[in-house]
Amino acid sequence: MSSRLATGGRRIDRSKRLSFSFNGTKLTGFEGDTLASALLANGQDLVGRSFKYHRPRGIVAAGAEEPNALVALGQGDRMEPNQRATITELFDGLSARSQNHWPSLQFDIGAINARLSRFLPAGFYYKTFMQPRAAWKHLFEPVIRKSAGLGPAPTQGDPDRYEYFYAHTDVLVAGGGIAGLAAARAAAEAGARVLLVEQDSRFGGRSATDGVVIDGTDAEAWVAEQVAALSAMPNVDLRLRTMAAGVYDHGYVTLYERAGDRDPGAAPVRHRLWRVRAGRTVTATGAIERPISFAGNDRPGVMLASAVRDYIDLYAVSPGDRTVVVTATDDGYRTALAVRDAGLDVPAVLDTRPDPKGPLVDAVRARGIRVEAGRGIAKVRGTRRVTGVDICAQAGEGAVIEHVPCECVAMAGGWSPVVHLWSHCGGKLLWDETAHHFRPDPDRPPTGADGQGFAVTAGTASGPMDTGAALADAVEAGHRAAKALGHDKGAPRIPQADGTADGPPAAVWMMPHGAGPELRGKAFLDFQNDVKVSDVQLAAQEGYQSVEHTKRYTTLGMATDQGKLSNINGLAILSDSLGAPIPEVGTTTFRPPYTPISLGAVAGEARGSLFKPVRRTPIHDWHADAGAVWEPVGDWRRPYCYPKDEESHRDAVNREITATRSGVGLLDASTLGKIIVSGPDAAAFLDLTYTNMMSSLKVGRCRYGLMCTENGFLFDDGVVVRLSEDSFLCHTTSGGSDRVHAWMEEWLQTEWWDLKVWTSNVTEQFGQIAIVGPKARSVLERLGGMDLSAEALPFMAMAEGTLGGIGVRIFRISFSGELSYEIAVPAGRARALWDMLLAEGAADGITPYGTEALHVMRAEKGYIMIGDETDGTVIPQDLNLGWAVSKKKSDFIGKRAMERSALTDPDRKQLVGLETEDPALVLPDGAHAVSGQTNRFGQQETLGHVTSTYWSPTLNRSIAMALVSGGSRRMGETLDFSLEDGRIAKARVVDPVFLDKDGERQNV
Amino acid sequence: MLILRCPYCGVDAEETDLAPGGEAHLTRHGPGSDDAEFRDYLFQRRNPRGVHFERWRHAFGCGKWFHAARCTQTLEVFGTYSAQCSEPPEEIMTAIRTRRPDWEMPA
Amino acid sequence: MKKYSVFSLAREALRYHSGWERAWASPDPKAEYDTIIVGAGGHGLATAYYLAKEHGITNVAVLEKGWLGGGNTGRNTTIIRSNYLQPESAAIYEKARGLYEGLSQELNFNIMFSPRGVMMLCQTQHELRAMQRTAHANRLAGIETEMVSPERVKEIVPIIEIDGPRFPVLGGLWQPRGGTARHDAVAWGYARGASARGVDIIQQCAVTGIDRDASGVTGVQTTRGPIRCKKLCIVVAGSSGVLADMAGFRLPVESVALQALVSEPVKPCMDCVVMANTVHGYMSQSDKGEMVIGGGADGFNNYTQRGSFQHLEETVRALIETFPMISRLKMLRHWGGIVDMTGDRSPIIGQTPVPGIFINCGWGTGGFKAIPGSGWATAEMLAKGTPGTLAAPFSLDRFTEGRMIDESVAAAVAH
Amino acid sequence: MSEAVTALAGATYEGAVTVADGGLTGMVQLRADLADAAVATAVKAATGADLPDRRRISAAKEQRLLWMSPDELLILTDHGAAPDLVKRLSTELTGQHALVLDLSDARSRIRLSGQGVREVLAKGAPVDLAPGRFEPGEVRRTRIGQIAAAFWLLSETEAEVICFRSVAPFLFDWLSTAARPGSLPGHFR
């Protein structure tokens, strides 16, 4: 089993012991460990169970490509499922649990699936669980769903904070390995602004572990020198623990900074999502090693050869006393040397190539390590971890030549460039016939707003796997990126790397080459999703030939690692099964993010109280203090009603209405939209935007106006006031002001730009207070300052002056049918006026009322409410508002639309009033009138529906309005309204004006 | 994330600062137009896979509407220009033809 | 066609599954067909299937420029519901939902229809009233839905936050027989069924031109040569405008990108579909354990099937407000699909200005749930040469007459 | 006679950056064609200041002229001085096609001060706020988070933000959150 070596460990600080727990067991590690290295150091080889077969899973990799080592990290409201142990920095007190097993990691009932695996091939569920029909819902699906998922679902809200940060840079470099550093330096020295991000906690990538020597110094020193130099430059920002997550249209890039993961709870920001606009993006994302497909390659103890090297060199972790290296490349030999240098045994290097040679091979042979050419692994022995391998000829069918005991198998299948960022936004790939991988096609990059490529690859991410070539490529990339943006100080120097390039790898997609179904059924491609070589072959056989079909049918590459290890091997198997070359088979689409990012980070800072803007009127605090029940209206908060102590909402509403109709009420109408329309052509413009004639309105007078869309449908209404010959004040619905103002500007800027008109949205400059009821005038007169008599200020007139010393504009308009004044006052003084009115009106029992009282009172008068009587399909004529649609005007927005056949249909729904036979019965909202017939679809035929329905305390009965087919012809008819329980409520069609038809109450 | 230059305030605004407004250079058909003309004006938008003339508003910025010539397939932007014109100006047409020699202005 | 069953599965297991045959044939195109359907997505394949099954018309080719089911059928969030307000919509979506109920058995292909229920949240007074209107309409249309209280919402969806400070849940419109299905399987199942009935499904065959004479359509030009036909049906969501151009007419359709994402898989925590229209988010949990999340659509014409980050912000932050526990889940991947948006956001099924050419498009953000009903109605139209009861209301001329079928009326979004 | 009050009632938050109510401010809106020389003359006569160039701020005495769009100017002055300024401007612009309004109560002004004002703004505004790219003298209209706002730097350590009155408390909370101690990324240097 794995263990900690006595010496070494480039990254760990043995003087800083950290304690953590895994499945409740207390363990210790060192500062600098990842959770994965610490687990291995503690001999914890088994870290999880696979998705489908619940097979034992160990750590395969040392980075973001890890498919197996996923844990539930943390506890309570800070638990995070599916956290990758290989990129989780160890911190003191860390607690982790393994996933997807019951009752325990060691003994998992679900492992029965592994025994049945033969009966559960790719897509088996499409072929069964169908009979009997009921069984799917009640038996099969529940079972399948229960077994679904990896990590546990969180149960609580997230106490942490997240945020965005907007950054602009000339050159963004993704990746802080030697290529990224070299590219950044080239770009920065050319004078470009450079932002370099590295997902890991250190710069330098693999270079030190792989013993790279640059310009005569070892990689670690060289990297330190670059970092120091770059940090000293004012035009450079270097950031660790920050991953380039996604590349988007026009060169937009999102970065995922794990700012607070190491001290949960204490960090002010957990994750910061950077939104970067970069002139050029250099992808120096390196490469990922490919596993090899042989039977039992998923057993704990089978690892990527590079990962074995990493654990030994970076963390002083022995993967086991005996490591068999199985390789198709020279690179595998580096692992053999690293293992031997650590004082561990390498029983054999199995090289699939018939005649391996080169300096690395010689070095290994020179160390007396047994090298077997043309050999591979027939089968891995062991269940919960490797106990040995059966060696066979790679060329054959798997006849066992020899059994070699070992604790670790290191797979070196060759390297594939990380092409995700390049591909997110449409960069194309080439198949490299010698390296056997896809690499970016420099001639077909992702393109930006200018049609030019905005991404440049650097280092091994471009294809070349040897240090010298990679460095040269990186420097050139950095220079090219800067130059494209006009920064150039001549060709930069290219650092020189020692050593020669590795020989070409062999293409080993199946081991052994002639493996039969038995072995293919045990050779894994996707370790997390349990996709085997045999599954891909079955998909091809059944006609799921497109790579997308195969992926979706087998779930290959759909695990949380998104196929970083499995895609190329899977593609190769597919192309082999189809007898088509790999480039023809193509790849699946690379989707952002590169590795999963928290939804919290995606949402950013907008949570809790910052979730969505709330708009407050100048009188908001008074409402809050008065215990108002809030109703959201757009982004506004409006009082729905003001219940007194134990009062029910309905009682409060009735009280407010009665008090207003019998005395005086007060309404905060500040949310009403207010738009100034001014200029020589203002009247002409309003004639076009309103259905009414506005040019005939007299100065100082008010007129109720309607606005329709070009489609003819009513979308806003409000009172228009003519302030002067060429200046109007247009009131809109609450929450309608922005929409209407934008609408006016749209027509002025894009259609009628010859009109001399200025508009201004002055909604927020004024608070607006409606004082309503028979005693309204006397309250205002006592405040003093203006003559508000019927003669001085008749109905639908406007006056300016001062009330109680405050400059105001008063509109004599009414939405309740009562004597009513709407007072516009500068917002900064609105609260003061409100308080004065309350004080002055106290004697008259002045009563603030909310939106519900407003709605009931307007309904009693048969006034329509946009959004209740209208729904985007209603024209003014439907609402008996034809009088407000000018016949004289040659044109207005919506006029032409109203001529279409469907809008002139006499059977259109029209607004009517309803009186239920039982006056106590308030019809349900949205109830439909039924004819008793069925329609062409076999549904019950409906005649119309209720649009507003209330208990009227004034009339002491229920009232309702409805849109009913041919409504105006049905006056006096009784209609059947169908209730939830199927009962019928009878209601008589009446005039929608229920109260004071002649308007005597307001004309006083 | 589209990035368009507002011709009025000169800002390279990103999509989150902008509001899209659909096809540009529509001829408004009001009273007097026949049903087909009116339908086309209201609904039958050009929907090309390629060069598209469209309206945008610098909603969070100067509030001005402007026009853009953009490829709906590659998202390449050939230019932005004033909203107060009924057809694309010559420099925009030239910019498009330089990048797309065989492109023709649809009838 | 080899029957799928637990027995055939066992039999095949014993011989390493070497006996499974192709799910659908891959023929070369013939010189002529009675009917050519352009587009092998769910709608096109279902149309072909019902043409063969319901009308015995099998001299049919389905042409696909890429791979079948590769468009929006394989990109959507797989929600199935029929709780629509307008009678026309309710009729066709309920027809579809009804067919989904027995589709696995009918196709002998498990499409995993999961009637786990769809909950539409009401988070403002206005939305509550609009949903009540919809509930009444549904009941009269024979669609099983009910308004439920906030407490009942919480019972059905325990992970939901009903007392959110900003948009408390005031109620919900609950359709117990709505749900989800495995989207790829729907395309694959119809393809297998149609193929078995003699329909030619021809992939990697892009239509490059449409041939017509004075009397109407005569055939198509394709990347695999010209093919003659008597009738042509265009069923290519996302490319409808482009095909219409080829045929020489325009559509009231704009192509925009719709956003979606999935989280990493977690153990089951939500056993139904939840739609929060006020905050523009909807979510369900796949049988694999991923939270499947639907986002908003771009407001501009777009043919790139890419995810655009800024549209996810709003959706995700809204869902975190509604489901606070998802905040620490991780986004696994996100993507875009190109949808046809019509002038009233309702689909188009009908004849076109060109005799012999029919169209099925404009499903906007809600096409998946309609696939069986849409295919059934389109097949009926192709067989009879004129739209039947279900399809008739969705004709093109409604845009001339102003006869909109507007579902936004219900304050519901058509996901 | 009551005094006008601000929406923020003098609120202050002290974090990595100090966020504070900017107090009562006179704000006069002018809508007119700023390219029109006659308009420039009138503005100069009424304020003593030249018209600002595109996205710039010009100043004279206690007045600051903010370029809001090619046909919109926002003039900041003392709260009490706004009515007179409106009169002066209106008089000077007699005969011109122009609209002058006192919008002093429509918007709120918030002051940011301390090292890192650039980074607090960069958490919510899609704007290049790097030194050299955004400097005192420029005004930028954009969004901060979800709120429409305009802001400008007074110095390397001072900025001012204006937004509509109804959302001022929300934006104040937003800015305070963004200014939490220890939460600045340290990107600008």
Side-chain angles (χ1 to χ4, degrees), chain C residues 324-345:
Chain C
M325 48 73 66
I326 69 170
S327 177
R328 289 177 97 87
L329 297 186
K330 296 192 230 51
M331 172 167 75
L332 181 57
R333 65 182 185 280
H334 71 94
W335 64 93
I338 303 306
V339 298
D340 295 339
M341 290 293 193
T342 64
D344 59 2
R345 299 295 183 262

Side-chain angles (χ1 to χ4, degrees), chain D residues 64-173:
Chain D
R64 283 178 293 169
L65 284 60
L66 279 53
W67 188 96
M68 303 294 273
S69 90
D71 51 29
E72 183 180 351
L73 204 60
L74 189 69
I75 306 174
L76 307 190
T77 182
D78 298 339
H79 192 258
D84 287 345
L85 178 56
V86 169
K87 288 197 192 68
R88 286 206 307 281
L89 268 169
S90 310
T91 321
E92 295 295 339
L93 285 160
T94 314
Q96 307 278 350
H97 172 40
L99 173 63
V100 183
L101 294 168
D102 180 349
L103 296 185
S104 304
D105 289 23
R107 292 187 176 86
S108 296
R109 183 167 56 103
I110 300 174
R111 290 180 67 93
L112 303 178
S113 53
Q115 295 294 337
V117 290
R118 290 178 183 275
E119 295 202 337
V120 168
L121 291 171
K123 288 184 182 186
V127 174
D128 189 348
L129 284 152
R133 309 297 171 117
F134 189 78
E135 290 293 328
E138 175 168 1
V139 57
R140 181 63 180 259
R141 294 180 76 179
T142 180
R143 60 181 181 89
I144 297 178
Q146 302 168 68
I147 301 291
F151 54 75
W152 56 92
L153 293 176
L154 297 170
S155 73
E156 201 45 40
T157 59
E158 289 173 291
E160 291 187 316
V161 181
I162 54 173
C163 66
F164 278 117
R165 182 188 191 100
S166 66
V167 290
F170 182 89
L171 182 58
F172 184 90
D173 292 346

Side-chain angles (χ1 to χ4, degrees), chain A residues 477-499:
Chain A
H479 180 241
R480 185 146 44 96
K483 194 172 178 180
L485 302 166
H487 302 282
D488 188 10
K489 298 212 176 82
R493 173 182 170 280
I494 294 168
Q496 295 307 306
D498 297 8

Side-chain angles (χ1 to χ4, degrees), chain A residues 51 77-83 100 118-119 121 124-131 133 136-137 141 145 147-154 156-158 160 162 164 248-249 254 270 273 275 424-425 517-518 529 538 541-546 548-549 552-553 558 560 562 591-593 596-600 602-603 606-608 611-614 631 635 637 867-868 871 873 900-903 924-928 930 936-937 939-940 942 945 978-980, chain C residues 4-6 9-10 13-14 16-24 67-68 74-75 87-88 90-91 101-102 104-105 108-110 112-116 125-126 129 132-133 136-137 139-141 165-167 177 182-185 188 203 261 264-271 279 285-290 305-310 312-313 316-318 320-321 324-335 389 393 399-404 406 409:
Chain A
F51 189 86
D77 57 9
R78 288 199 162 87
M79 190 277 290
E80 176 183 15
N82 306 322
Q83 180 55 30
N100 201 37
R118 204 170 171 189
F119 297 90
F124 73 95
Y125 31 77
Y126 298 125
K127 298 189 171 105
T128 178
F129 301 138
M130 288 177 278
Q131 300 297 347
R133 184 164 148 181
W136 169 252
K137 169 116 203 274
E141 201 205 3
R145 298 205 69 212
S147 61
L150 280 174
Q156 308 171 48
D158 182 349
D160 288 333
Y162 303 80
Y164 297 147
Y248 299 91
D249 300 327
T254 54
R270 180 172 178 236
L273 194 101
R275 308 173 55 155
H424 282 167
C425 204
E518 176 72 45
N529 275 1
L538 176 61
Q541 170 190 334
E542 291 190 89
Y544 300 89
Q545 295 174 330
S546 138
E548 279 289 346
H549 281 157
R552 290 153 181 262
Y553 191 64
M558 293 176 82
T560 62
Q562 292 281 286
R591 300 291 189 189
I597 67 178
S598 64
L599 290 175
V602 174
R607 50 175 53 224
F611 165 54
K612 233 174 172 300
V614 174
E631 175 177 11
D635 284 342
R637 278 284 174 282
D868 288 352
D871 60 14
T873 66
R900 293 173 300 173
S901 59
L903 280 71
D925 265 302
H928 284 57
V930 292
R936 63 201 147 143
F937 306 116
Q939 308 162 339
Q940 290 191 54
T942 61
H945 67 278
S978 165
L979 306 179
E980 287 88 345
Chain C
Y4 291 159
S5 74
V6 65
L9 194 63
L14 301 176
Y16 299 103
H17 304 280
S18 56
W20 292 118
E21 57 199 33
R22 300 179 55 97
W24 51 81
W67 42 280
L68 68 87
R75 292 169 196 277
E88 303 86 345
E101 290 262 5
S104 294
Q105 292 71 25
N108 177 235
F109 195 102
N110 192 345
M112 298 180 214
F113 173 62
S114 170
R116 59 185 63 179
Q125 289 291 343
H126 179 268
R129 284 194 294 270
Q132 282 163 339
R133 178 181 168 193
H136 284 289
R139 182 167 38 79
L140 297 170
R166 191 72 168 81
F167 291 115
R177 297 298 293 176
R182 178 82 180 84
H183 55 9
D184 295 320
W188 298 342
Q203 303 184 77
L261 72 115
E264 292 184 329
V266 288
K267 292 298 176 189
C269 61
M270 190 174 87
D271 195 29
V279 291
Q285 187 173 23
S286 73
D287 282 348
K288 203 162 171 293
E290 299 161 328
Q305 292 176 320
R306 290 198 286 264
S308 66
F309 177 80
Q310 68 275 21
L312 297 182
E313 300 172 25
V316 171
R317 70 174 57 134
I320 288 176
E321 275 313 286
M325 48 73 66
I326 69 170
S327 177
R328 289 177 97 87
L329 297 186
K330 296 192 230 51
M331 172 167 75
L332 181 57
R333 65 182 185 280
H334 71 94
W335 64 93
T389 313
F399 294 97
T400 316
E401 300 160 7
R403 187 171 39 79
M404 306 288 108
D406 193 338
V409 166

